Amino acid sequence: MSMYGRDPWGGPLEVCHDSATDDDRSRNLDIDRGALSRALDETQQSWLLAAPGDMGRKRKRYVDIGCLVVSREFLVWTLGVLLAAAAFAGVVAGIAKAIPRRHHPPPPPDDYTVALRKALMFFNAQRSGKLPKHNNVPWRGNSCMKDGLSDPAVRRSLVGGYYDAGGAVKFNFPAAFSMTLLSWSVIEYSAKYEAAGELGHVRDIIKWGSDYFLKTFNSTADSIDRVVAQVGSAAATPGSSQPNDHYCWMRPEDIDYPRPVVECHACSDLAAEMAAALAAASIVFKDNKAYSQKLVHGATTLFQFARDRRGRYSVGGGSDASKFYNSTSYWDEYLWGSSWMYLATGNSSYLTLATHPKLAKHAGAFWGGPDYGVFSWDNKLTGAQVLLSRLRLFLSPGYPYEEMLSAFHNQTSIIMCSYLPIFKSFNRTKGGLIQLNHGKPQPLQYVVNAAFLASVFSDYLEAADTPGWYCGPHFYSIEVLRNFAKTQIEYILGKNPLKMSYVVGFGKHFPKHVHHRGASIPKNGVHYGCKGGWKWRDTKKPNPNIIVGAMVAGPDRHDGFKDSRKNYNYTEPTLAGNAGLVAALVALSGEGRGVDKNTMFSAVPPMFPSPPPPPAPWKP
């Protein structure tokens, strides 16, 4: 074979033999011939001159941390700075923890909450019997410790309960209404009471009243034939000097004259109201099963007595009620009481009674009249209709109750319309106070009740995702209803022409001559007899004891007010009036709104049939 081959590109291809050895070739390959043709710089020369150990040290000046090669010196400085910063931060944090901090105080409570706390104190001042250690009214003490026992016709203890107003009579009719109203407010707004720190206090107030009511009849029996209507006497025969709770001006702690007990044997209004009070309280105390059941049993017995022995408690029997707390009817108490009995027991027979068309007709649910929509210790119709509207909005029981519940709801809407200034159902003073009692004295007790109903009904609508309600063809927002309640309560708290607060102890300007025996006589160790206290009644000096939270009777129809101890139409507080005030204040208090939708229905069974039991296991 020839040593010369043909180049495919046209030239000769010479294959020559290289006589160099493999070692020579490998050495020649390690030399970069291009590099030999140029001079080396100083750095490259230093590499060539460096000893093997020096090369290792030079390489270690750089650290490979993965995707980045950095100088060892830079890395050390960086880590040092980070560690120093962490140490400094730790020292600063330690010093900050060691320094006592100034916690920002919570925002001050709103006026409604402040007034609420004071209004509840009035009930502490009205307590009769042996007072608890935490009563917190320093000028009060144990009083009337022989009530009931000193009456030869009764001979059992009726110690306890509440004095009604500025005297020492215990009227059970308005007292029972007061406890029902307080219980209603707790059921709806327990979270607000708790936020104000008053839930335990208001529960104590309700229990004090409930325990006393259980003493006024045979609460362990299934049927009764009598109930106590009143303890003490306020009747004053002209020219008579016989000591009683109206003629005498004495501290309750100093009373030493006989206190008669008035019982009634046919008093549907009183018994049905007391049944409502115990039924509502049983829901408040549902966490105490034994006590709640005791209240339910007592309420059941009372309501049955109210149905069996019909009559008005204020008719005959030597009671003072016809003069001070005359009841005009018992049909509204039937409607009111049966509604609460249903909520407390879940027994549908009570709901059947409450939604019976004839009962509603007798109670005047569709009649109207000058006092239609006025909720008070005498007229429970409006409250019952609001309560039954709640049942329709949240449970919607349907047939056979829906027709009457819908009618009650419509009537409630009409009543709420009558509260608005645009409608002329009720007059108003120039200062803006609604005249629910048509210009008669002692207006505030009716105003606060209306403010509570307006507030709670607006909360019902909001909870039912309803933005308002219709008054004829016009639609009104729930804010309009709440504004009505706010303006009325703010009038009472001082936004009125006289710039006077009608709640004692609230604000800087409030009544100083309250018509109240206990508040007007100093606790100085001196026993002032029946007539001995008259000098304290007649003095022009302010009361030595401030009865905190008492809402007085209020101004006249011209926004005028006389701070006179002798004029009870201006300055006498009452149990029922303060109960309405408390209910309205808690409904308006706090930042949040809304009612507790479920607690009131805790005893009500589901409104649909129970599902059938599952089929038996299949057997082959």
Side-chain angles (χ1 to χ4, degrees), residues 504-515:
V504 177
F506 182 86
K508 296 180 179 179
H509 185 34
F510 52 83
K512 304 295 195 301
H513 302 80
V514 181
H515 181 95

Side-chain angles (χ1 to χ4, degrees), residues 340-523:
W340 280 111
M341 289 301 299
Y342 173 68
L343 294 170
T345 65
N347 188 332
S348 60
S349 65
Y350 293 116
L351 183 58
T352 300
L353 175 62
T355 54
H356 198 288
K358 287 187 177 180
L359 177 58
K361 182 180 179 181
H362 284 308
F366 315 115
W367 173 67
D371 293 327
Y372 191 72
V374 181
F375 185 40
S376 71
W377 52 264
D378 180 33
N379 186 1
K380 319 299 174 9
L381 173 63
T382 304
Q385 292 187 134
V386 172
L387 199 61
L388 292 170
S389 298
R390 183 196 209 279
L391 183 68
R392 179 175 185 261
L393 283 170
F394 297 148
L395 286 191
S396 187
Y399 180 84
Y401 314 110
E402 170 59 22
E403 184 177 356
M404 283 305 303
L405 291 179
S406 177
F408 287 138
H409 191 171
N410 291 336
Q411 292 301 310
T412 298
S413 298
I414 292 172
I415 291 168
M416 295 301 153
C417 297
S418 72
Y419 293 159
L420 303 184
I422 193 172
F423 299 97
K424 305 301 181 182
S425 303
F426 299 101
N427 292 328
R428 278 171 166 75
T429 67
K430 290 184 178 180
L433 185 69
I434 189 170
Q435 296 289 284
L436 294 167
N437 63 338
H438 310 291
K440 297 176 185 177
Q442 308 174 29
L444 296 188
Q445 58 180 315
Y446 308 102
V447 173
V448 291
N449 291 346
F452 169 66
L453 292 184
S455 299
V456 77
F457 186 68
S458 71
D459 285 342
Y460 290 167
L461 293 179
E462 186 173 44
D465 295 324
T466 305
W469 85 110
Y470 279 96
C471 295
H474 303 289
F475 185 82
Y476 290 93
S477 164
I478 57 176
E479 289 300 325
V480 175
L481 205 51
R482 290 186 69 87
N483 286 338
F484 158 74
K486 288 180 179 179
T487 55
Q488 298 305 303
I489 296 300
E490 287 171 359
Y491 180 103
I492 294 171
L493 296 182
K495 289 186 178 180
N496 53 63
L498 298 179
K499 308 301 180 184
M500 168 178 277
S501 165
Y502 294 110
V503 178
V504 177
F506 182 86
K508 296 180 179 179
H509 185 34
F510 52 83
K512 304 295 195 301
H513 302 80
V514 181
H515 181 95
H516 192 276
R517 287 162 174 76
S520 65
I521 302 175
K523 184 181 179 181

